Amino acid sequence: MTRKKAHIISHSHWDREWFLPLESLRFRLVTLMDEVEDLLDKEAGFNHFHMDGQMIMLEDYLAVKPAKREKMKQLVADGKLRIGPWYMLQDAFLTSGEANIRNLQYGLEMAEEFGQAEKIGYFPDTFGLYGQVPQLMRQAGFDTVVFGRGVNPTGFNNQVFDSAFASKYSEMFWESPDGSKVLGILLANWYSNGNEIPTDKEAAKIFWDKKLADVERFASTDEWLFMNGCDHQPVQTDLAEALEVARELYPEVDFIHSHFEKYQDAVKAGLEPEKLQTVHGELTSQQSDGWSTLANTASSRIYLKQANAKIERLLERLAEPISVMATEAGVSYPHEYLAFAWKLLMENQIHDSITGCSLDEVHREMEARFEKVEQTTMAIIQNAARKITEQIATNDAGIPITVFHAGGVEATRTVELELETDAIHFSEMHFELIPDELAKLPEQSFRMETSNGEEIPVVVESLGIHFNYDLPERKFRDSYFARKYKLTFTVEHLPAVGYQTIYAHPVAVSDDEKELTGDLQLENQYLKVEIAPNGTYSILDKEKAVEVAGLGAYEDVGDIGNEYMFKETGDNLRINTFNSKPAVRVLREDKLGKTIEIKHEIEIPVSASATFAEEKRRLVWHPDRTSHRSDNRTTFKITTELTLNKHDKQLTVRVKLDNQVDDHRLRVLLPTGKQTETHQAGSVFEVVTRANKQVEEWTNPANDNRKQGFVTSGNIVVASLDLPEYEVSEQGDRLELTLLRAVSEIGDWGDFPAYEAECHREITAEFHVFLTDESSVNVPAQVNALLTPTFAIQHPSSSKEKILAETKDFAKWKVADGLVFSAFKLAKDNQPIIRFYQTGSEPKLLNTVNLWRKSTILEETAGDAKNQFTVKPNEIITLKGV
């Protein structure tokens, strides 16, 4: 008879900041690590400690005790301290695909510096998992993942054999859409099922009788996992004694102080693969009652999601690509500085941080971090762009401006730039006299054209006379006053990944600016948008002959949930704008396009009723709360700006809110034009198809989902970087996009007020709407390019040799429809890296001009150098230059 083996893994799940702020928890971390070191050195039978899969724990410890670095390295080298593979434990759905890869890359690099990484995909508390995890893990060389959420264990009394999202056992196979498969180990009894093991025999007998039975219920092998620790759990210092007691009580069981690699090897050796189920794709607790999915963390503190998405895009689509381009100007690629920026951003991407489900103090510090990482990222971008423009060979006919773009496909974009002219430096004139001297100059405007002399439409706004300064490389700062202008212009044929130089020519001010017509509709060669009296709008796509009406109503509902989950008030009081009569006016109309403003005012309750405070105080679980909305009402203003520029194939919607109201959620309602059973949404390196109707056991009235980039249902596509929560009706005929959710507590295991989660602040939400039909197969790539920022820079004066072309496309590749561009950067050995993912249902070709080798996400190459690659459906393909 095979003996049962109980693998006890000592750990502490380390939420870096959550119900306590960072520094309060760091104090506990230092105490924990000092005790762990002492036990690993001196306690026979205490052999290993698992560092929760994240390197930032070591970083935080060594920030206080840097002298311990060599000791930590020794413990890692001896196999006692088990570290990595991640830099930090992220939220999977609220961080981009590239951010997930950088997290693994930097985590593994740091772990290798300390000696070795624990080669297992570790997701103990991730709030759902994207479907491409198995593919990413396989590319990183891992074949096993451990996770705590997303799949339901059903056990022997409730067997499920045909569900893609439930498993009879805690062991299962998990398959990505591309076919990559890993062994999945579900923490079916959570990551604390071996916590606080008694040393007293009587208590230990009670403890182990229950714990062994709980694990046996789900285990498919005789290798049983017991996690000895929990959230911020101090290490169990008498564990060795407790395990000796267990061995005495249960001689038929081998109690092993273990680690994950030992445990996974033992499980794989004892597996009977034919017994296991295979779960497929994303794991979001689809096969559940729907009350504990934590999906609504996608809308908690929406301002955090906005800041994160902005900076991710700056790093991925400007800082990294422009830094590659700058190497042609002799600039070293800033590996270390980019790593610094990414790691600083990742501090905000930890699962209890970016989800917005922590204390107010935590999220205030996050906002400061976002400011710091944006400053860091912009410094990288500006330096690289300046170095390039200093060496671009330009004509002398105007003021040169270079626009950078890395959306993966050629694009037309409307760009804004602040341009300076007529600078007078302090070295030329006493600074007090300069403003008056500049004021004597005649007013001017600008004509813009390409390097080929083609005119570019531009709108010019004078910003007056401003102080500025330059910081030369080899001199002291250079102060000056100059005239400043805001130029808004449209650039066509921007390179897929590269830059284009254009020219601004000063001209006399003319009176040819178009006056506001008052015509309350928007139209260009692609779209026609008409506004209804209640402020909703219709979109007609002239090319596709598709029209959808009734878009853009708003609905406000009460929310007595928490930062984790939405719960509507017991009165189900919903207030919408269907019967409103908003003020509508033309806000802007010029040669570039037009903007219409719609101002709604609705009367809504100021908060939930007084009984809500008692429900929170008594820790009533959110599904059981019944409080109504308050009888006291206030005016809530919603300002909508609809913009359609001349080259746009999408309607841009900007919604401005000044929220001073508590306990509510605001959504924009978007009819889809047809009924469907499923819809599609962007996710991490994939487009996922989701059912509109939930499973039978789903009892939550809401069916909220998360997206990255876009969601499409029926005939509409809604694209946005930073509005990740949406819901599609069961019939598929209406899409609801969350703009704001205001709540007042963390939730979970205690009474933790978080009043700043009410979001009393000004919030601007932006999204794009365009129409689609059955033939629109390249929506993911379209959206990917649409949501890519551009960067424009006026050329600095420079005496450097002009060796670079005016316009250059670095995208020396041709991709088929369905391939989506993801990254352009340099590997550590300074070879170029490009990455795409495939969203089509058939193999696609990726052709390149230069020779490349296929690489993993860790930038390790294999195979011959070539210039044509076949990309499988749903494959993530990384190429490395040779």
Side-chain angles (χ1 to χ4, degrees), residues 323-352:
S323 293
V324 178
M325 300 175 203
T327 61
E328 295 207 347
V331 182
S332 297
Y333 189 80
H335 291 284
E336 295 85 359
Y337 224 98
L338 283 165
F340 173 78
W342 271 113
K343 288 179 181 178
L344 188 56
L345 177 60
M346 287 178 201
E347 291 187 48
N348 280 355
Q349 294 185 331
I350 297 172
H351 58 284
D352 288 309

mmCIF file of all heavy atoms in Angstrom, residues 323-352:
data_model
loop_
_atom_site.group_PDB
_atom_site.id
_atom_site.type_symbol
_atom_site.label_atom_id
_atom_site.label_comp_id
_atom_site.label_asym_id
_atom_site.label_seq_id
_atom_site.Cartn_x
_atom_site.Cartn_y
_atom_site.Cartn_z
ATOM 1 N N SER A 323 13.343 54.365 -27.356
ATOM 2 C CA SER A 323 14.706 54.066 -26.893
ATOM 3 C C SER A 323 15.432 53.164 -27.872
ATOM 4 O O SER A 323 16.656 53.277 -28.051
ATOM 5 C CB SER A 323 14.655 53.422 -25.501
ATOM 6 O OG SER A 323 14.194 54.349 -24.534
ATOM 7 N N VAL A 324 14.710 52.232 -28.524
ATOM 8 C CA VAL A 324 15.331 51.423 -29.574
ATOM 9 C C VAL A 324 15.727 52.324 -30.739
ATOM 10 O O VAL A 324 16.844 52.237 -31.268
ATOM 11 C CB VAL A 324 14.377 50.316 -30.065
ATOM 12 C CG1 VAL A 324 15.039 49.521 -31.192
ATOM 13 C CG2 VAL A 324 13.994 49.380 -28.929
ATOM 14 N N MET A 325 14.827 53.194 -31.166
ATOM 15 C CA MET A 325 15.109 54.097 -32.281
ATOM 16 C C MET A 325 16.319 54.975 -31.981
ATOM 17 O O MET A 325 17.127 55.276 -32.869
ATOM 18 C CB MET A 325 13.894 54.982 -32.563
ATOM 19 C CG MET A 325 12.625 54.224 -32.934
ATOM 20 S SD MET A 325 11.217 55.360 -33.099
ATOM 21 C CE MET A 325 9.834 54.234 -32.837
ATOM 22 N N ALA A 326 16.461 55.388 -30.721
ATOM 23 C CA ALA A 326 17.551 56.296 -30.351
ATOM 24 C C ALA A 326 18.913 55.637 -30.430
ATOM 25 O O ALA A 326 19.937 56.341 -30.475
ATOM 26 C CB ALA A 326 17.318 56.841 -28.944
ATOM 27 N N THR A 327 18.981 54.314 -30.458
ATOM 28 C CA THR A 327 20.285 53.664 -30.597
ATOM 29 C C THR A 327 20.927 54.019 -31.928
ATOM 30 O O THR A 327 22.155 53.995 -32.056
ATOM 31 C CB THR A 327 20.165 52.135 -30.450
ATOM 32 O OG1 THR A 327 19.303 51.615 -31.465
ATOM 33 C CG2 THR A 327 19.628 51.760 -29.075
ATOM 34 N N GLU A 328 20.099 54.358 -32.931
ATOM 35 C CA GLU A 328 20.658 54.782 -34.220
ATOM 36 C C GLU A 328 21.279 56.164 -34.133
ATOM 37 O O GLU A 328 22.022 56.569 -35.015
ATOM 38 C CB GLU A 328 19.580 54.744 -35.296
ATOM 39 C CG GLU A 328 19.065 53.348 -35.583
ATOM 40 C CD GLU A 328 18.539 53.201 -36.994
ATOM 41 O OE1 GLU A 328 18.343 54.237 -37.671
ATOM 42 O OE2 GLU A 328 18.342 52.055 -37.431
ATOM 43 N N ALA A 329 20.943 56.879 -33.067
ATOM 44 C CA ALA A 329 21.561 58.184 -32.828
ATOM 45 C C ALA A 329 22.720 58.067 -31.853
ATOM 46 O O ALA A 329 23.211 59.072 -31.333
ATOM 47 C CB ALA A 329 20.520 59.165 -32.284
ATOM 48 N N GLY A 330 23.148 56.835 -31.593
ATOM 49 C CA GLY A 330 24.293 56.612 -30.717
ATOM 50 C C GLY A 330 23.963 56.608 -29.246
ATOM 51 O O GLY A 330 24.866 56.681 -28.403
ATOM 52 N N VAL A 331 22.677 56.498 -28.910
ATOM 53 C CA VAL A 331 22.263 56.530 -27.508
ATOM 54 C C VAL A 331 22.164 55.097 -26.980
ATOM 55 O O VAL A 331 21.545 54.240 -27.610
ATOM 56 C CB VAL A 331 20.904 57.232 -27.355
ATOM 57 C CG1 VAL A 331 20.495 57.298 -25.889
ATOM 58 C CG2 VAL A 331 20.964 58.636 -27.952
ATOM 59 N N SER A 332 22.763 54.842 -25.844
ATOM 60 C CA SER A 332 22.679 53.514 -25.237
ATOM 61 C C SER A 332 21.249 53.244 -24.775
ATOM 62 O O SER A 332 20.579 54.122 -24.224
ATOM 63 C CB SER A 332 23.631 53.404 -24.043
ATOM 64 O OG SER A 332 24.973 53.548 -24.458
ATOM 65 N N TYR A 333 20.784 52.021 -24.995
ATOM 66 C CA TYR A 333 19.446 51.635 -24.553
ATOM 67 C C TYR A 333 19.417 51.618 -23.023
ATOM 68 O O TYR A 333 20.272 51.000 -22.384
ATOM 69 C CB TYR A 333 19.101 50.257 -25.096
ATOM 70 C CG TYR A 333 17.670 49.845 -24.893
ATOM 71 C CD1 TYR A 333 16.663 50.305 -25.737
ATOM 72 C CD2 TYR A 333 17.329 48.974 -23.873
ATOM 73 C CE1 TYR A 333 15.347 49.908 -25.565
ATOM 74 C CE2 TYR A 333 16.013 48.568 -23.690
ATOM 75 C CZ TYR A 333 15.021 49.041 -24.529
ATOM 76 O OH TYR A 333 13.709 48.649 -24.352
ATOM 77 N N PRO A 334 18.450 52.294 -22.391
ATOM 78 C CA PRO A 334 18.469 52.462 -20.926
ATOM 79 C C PRO A 334 17.876 51.269 -20.184
ATOM 80 O O PRO A 334 16.833 51.374 -19.523
ATOM 81 C CB PRO A 334 17.638 53.729 -20.727
ATOM 82 C CG PRO A 334 16.634 53.695 -21.834
ATOM 83 C CD PRO A 334 17.363 53.080 -23.017
ATOM 84 N N HIS A 335 18.529 50.123 -20.269
ATOM 85 C CA HIS A 335 18.006 48.907 -19.634
ATOM 86 C C HIS A 335 17.684 49.129 -18.163
ATOM 87 O O HIS A 335 16.585 48.791 -17.693
ATOM 88 C CB HIS A 335 19.032 47.775 -19.746
ATOM 89 C CG HIS A 335 19.237 47.261 -21.132
ATOM 90 N ND1 HIS A 335 18.340 46.433 -21.760
ATOM 91 C CD2 HIS A 335 20.260 47.450 -22.009
ATOM 92 C CE1 HIS A 335 18.788 46.123 -22.963
ATOM 93 N NE2 HIS A 335 19.956 46.725 -23.145
ATOM 94 N N GLU A 336 18.648 49.674 -17.431
ATOM 95 C CA GLU A 336 18.473 49.809 -15.986
ATOM 96 C C GLU A 336 17.369 50.806 -15.648
ATOM 97 O O GLU A 336 16.585 50.581 -14.718
ATOM 98 C CB GLU A 336 19.791 50.246 -15.324
ATOM 99 C CG GLU A 336 20.912 49.224 -15.439
ATOM 100 C CD GLU A 336 21.693 49.336 -16.738
ATOM 101 O OE1 GLU A 336 21.347 50.202 -17.572
ATOM 102 O OE2 GLU A 336 22.652 48.560 -16.921
ATOM 103 N N TYR A 337 17.300 51.885 -16.409
ATOM 104 C CA TYR A 337 16.298 52.903 -16.083
ATOM 105 C C TYR A 337 14.891 52.423 -16.435
ATOM 106 O O TYR A 337 13.920 52.697 -15.714
ATOM 107 C CB TYR A 337 16.602 54.228 -16.792
ATOM 108 C CG TYR A 337 16.419 55.400 -15.864
ATOM 109 C CD1 TYR A 337 17.503 55.974 -15.216
ATOM 110 C CD2 TYR A 337 15.154 55.902 -15.611
ATOM 111 C CE1 TYR A 337 17.333 57.036 -14.341
ATOM 112 C CE2 TYR A 337 14.980 56.966 -14.737
ATOM 113 C CZ TYR A 337 16.060 57.532 -14.098
ATOM 114 O OH TYR A 337 15.891 58.564 -13.228
ATOM 115 N N LEU A 338 14.771 51.679 -17.533
ATOM 116 C CA LEU A 338 13.472 51.098 -17.860
ATOM 117 C C LEU A 338 13.056 50.085 -16.799
ATOM 118 O O LEU A 338 11.880 50.034 -16.409
ATOM 119 C CB LEU A 338 13.518 50.445 -19.239
ATOM 120 C CG LEU A 338 13.455 51.412 -20.423
ATOM 121 C CD1 LEU A 338 13.864 50.714 -21.711
ATOM 122 C CD2 LEU A 338 12.051 52.021 -20.568
ATOM 123 N N ALA A 339 13.995 49.290 -16.318
ATOM 124 C CA ALA A 339 13.682 48.344 -15.241
ATOM 125 C C ALA A 339 13.238 49.087 -13.991
ATOM 126 O O ALA A 339 12.294 48.666 -13.301
ATOM 127 C CB ALA A 339 14.896 47.466 -14.935
ATOM 128 N N PHE A 340 13.909 50.190 -13.691
ATOM 129 C CA PHE A 340 13.519 51.006 -12.536
ATOM 130 C C PHE A 340 12.087 51.506 -12.694
ATOM 131 O O PHE A 340 11.278 51.442 -11.755
ATOM 132 C CB PHE A 340 14.489 52.182 -12.390
ATOM 133 C CG PHE A 340 14.097 53.170 -11.337
ATOM 134 C CD1 PHE A 340 14.330 52.902 -9.997
ATOM 135 C CD2 PHE A 340 13.498 54.381 -11.674
ATOM 136 C CE1 PHE A 340 13.963 53.820 -9.010
ATOM 137 C CE2 PHE A 340 13.122 55.297 -10.705
ATOM 138 C CZ PHE A 340 13.360 55.013 -9.364
ATOM 139 N N ALA A 341 11.752 51.993 -13.885
ATOM 140 C CA ALA A 341 10.397 52.498 -14.122
ATOM 141 C C ALA A 341 9.368 51.384 -14.015
ATOM 142 O O ALA A 341 8.313 51.543 -13.373
ATOM 143 C CB ALA A 341 10.317 53.164 -15.495
ATOM 144 N N TRP A 342 9.651 50.257 -14.647
ATOM 145 C CA TRP A 342 8.708 49.137 -14.599
ATOM 146 C C TRP A 342 8.499 48.661 -13.164
ATOM 147 O O TRP A 342 7.359 48.403 -12.738
ATOM 148 C CB TRP A 342 9.217 47.976 -15.451
ATOM 149 C CG TRP A 342 8.780 48.028 -16.874
ATOM 150 C CD1 TRP A 342 9.559 48.220 -17.977
ATOM 151 C CD2 TRP A 342 7.446 47.843 -17.379
ATOM 152 N NE1 TRP A 342 8.808 48.179 -19.122
ATOM 153 C CE2 TRP A 342 7.502 47.943 -18.781
ATOM 154 C CE3 TRP A 342 6.221 47.605 -16.769
ATOM 155 C CZ2 TRP A 342 6.376 47.813 -19.589
ATOM 156 C CZ3 TRP A 342 5.085 47.478 -17.568
ATOM 157 C CH2 TRP A 342 5.170 47.588 -18.964
ATOM 158 N N LYS A 343 9.565 48.531 -12.406
ATOM 159 C CA LYS A 343 9.424 48.037 -11.032
ATOM 160 C C LYS A 343 8.660 49.031 -10.162
ATOM 161 O O LYS A 343 7.876 48.628 -9.291
ATOM 162 C CB LYS A 343 10.809 47.752 -10.433
ATOM 163 C CG LYS A 343 11.480 46.528 -11.024
ATOM 164 C CD LYS A 343 12.853 46.313 -10.406
ATOM 165 C CE LYS A 343 13.547 45.097 -10.998
ATOM 166 N NZ LYS A 343 14.901 44.894 -10.436
ATOM 167 N N LEU A 344 8.889 50.310 -10.399
ATOM 168 C CA LEU A 344 8.139 51.313 -9.648
ATOM 169 C C LEU A 344 6.654 51.222 -9.980
ATOM 170 O O LEU A 344 5.797 51.309 -9.093
ATOM 171 C CB LEU A 344 8.681 52.710 -9.969
ATOM 172 C CG LEU A 344 8.160 53.880 -9.138
ATOM 173 C CD1 LEU A 344 8.392 53.653 -7.654
ATOM 174 C CD2 LEU A 344 8.827 55.175 -9.588
ATOM 175 N N LEU A 345 6.347 51.021 -11.250
ATOM 176 C CA LEU A 345 4.944 50.838 -11.637
ATOM 177 C C LEU A 345 4.385 49.559 -11.015
ATOM 178 O O LEU A 345 3.236 49.533 -10.550
ATOM 179 C CB LEU A 345 4.830 50.770 -13.157
ATOM 180 C CG LEU A 345 3.423 50.509 -13.711
ATOM 181 C CD1 LEU A 345 2.452 51.600 -13.287
ATOM 182 C CD2 LEU A 345 3.459 50.377 -15.225
ATOM 183 N N MET A 346 5.176 48.493 -10.997
ATOM 184 C CA MET A 346 4.694 47.216 -10.450
ATOM 185 C C MET A 346 4.358 47.301 -8.968
ATOM 186 O O MET A 346 3.540 46.531 -8.467
ATOM 187 C CB MET A 346 5.729 46.128 -10.685
ATOM 188 C CG MET A 346 5.827 45.674 -12.123
ATOM 189 S SD MET A 346 7.111 44.429 -12.300
ATOM 190 C CE MET A 346 7.428 44.555 -14.051
ATOM 191 N N GLU A 347 4.985 48.219 -8.253
ATOM 192 C CA GLU A 347 4.602 48.400 -6.852
ATOM 193 C C GLU A 347 3.126 48.746 -6.737
ATOM 194 O O GLU A 347 2.492 48.456 -5.718
ATOM 195 C CB GLU A 347 5.453 49.488 -6.206
ATOM 196 C CG GLU A 347 6.909 49.116 -6.007
ATOM 197 C CD GLU A 347 7.654 50.164 -5.209
ATOM 198 O OE1 GLU A 347 7.130 50.588 -4.160
ATOM 199 O OE2 GLU A 347 8.748 50.585 -5.643
ATOM 200 N N ASN A 348 2.580 49.372 -7.766
ATOM 201 C CA ASN A 348 1.164 49.718 -7.768
ATOM 202 C C ASN A 348 0.298 48.653 -8.421
ATOM 203 O O ASN A 348 -0.930 48.781 -8.427
ATOM 204 C CB ASN A 348 0.936 51.045 -8.497
ATOM 205 C CG ASN A 348 1.245 52.241 -7.634
ATOM 206 O OD1 ASN A 348 1.540 52.109 -6.453
ATOM 207 N ND2 ASN A 348 1.166 53.421 -8.215
ATOM 208 N N GLN A 349 0.904 47.620 -8.997
ATOM 209 C CA GLN A 349 0.137 46.597 -9.693
ATOM 210 C C GLN A 349 -0.085 45.338 -8.866
ATOM 211 O O GLN A 349 -0.666 44.364 -9.353
ATOM 212 C CB GLN A 349 0.839 46.233 -11.009
ATOM 213 C CG GLN A 349 0.860 47.385 -12.005
ATOM 214 C CD GLN A 349 1.444 47.017 -13.337
ATOM 215 O OE1 GLN A 349 2.301 46.138 -13.427
ATOM 216 N NE2 GLN A 349 1.001 47.670 -14.393
ATOM 217 N N ILE A 350 0.357 45.367 -7.615
ATOM 218 C CA ILE A 350 0.108 44.240 -6.716
ATOM 219 C C ILE A 350 -1.392 44.065 -6.535
ATOM 220 O O ILE A 350 -2.164 45.034 -6.551
ATOM 221 C CB ILE A 350 0.834 44.469 -5.381
ATOM 222 C CG1 ILE A 350 2.353 44.522 -5.632
ATOM 223 C CG2 ILE A 350 0.494 43.386 -4.372
ATOM 224 C CD1 ILE A 350 3.170 44.933 -4.436
ATOM 225 N N HIS A 351 -1.843 42.827 -6.355
ATOM 226 C CA HIS A 351 -3.270 42.517 -6.463
ATOM 227 C C HIS A 351 -4.141 43.284 -5.472
ATOM 228 O O HIS A 351 -5.291 43.575 -5.787
ATOM 229 C CB HIS A 351 -3.507 41.009 -6.344
ATOM 230 C CG HIS A 351 -3.009 40.392 -5.081
ATOM 231 N ND1 HIS A 351 -1.686 40.141 -4.854
ATOM 232 C CD2 HIS A 351 -3.660 39.959 -3.982
ATOM 233 C CE1 HIS A 351 -1.541 39.581 -3.664
ATOM 234 N NE2 HIS A 351 -2.718 39.464 -3.107
ATOM 235 N N ASP A 352 -3.663 43.611 -4.296
ATOM 236 C CA ASP A 352 -4.493 44.387 -3.369
ATOM 237 C C ASP A 352 -4.317 45.885 -3.555
ATOM 238 O O ASP A 352 -4.951 46.661 -2.835
ATOM 239 C CB ASP A 352 -4.147 44.018 -1.922
ATOM 240 C CG ASP A 352 -4.646 42.647 -1.554
ATOM 241 O OD1 ASP A 352 -5.830 42.373 -1.771
ATOM 242 O OD2 ASP A 352 -3.838 41.829 -1.069
#
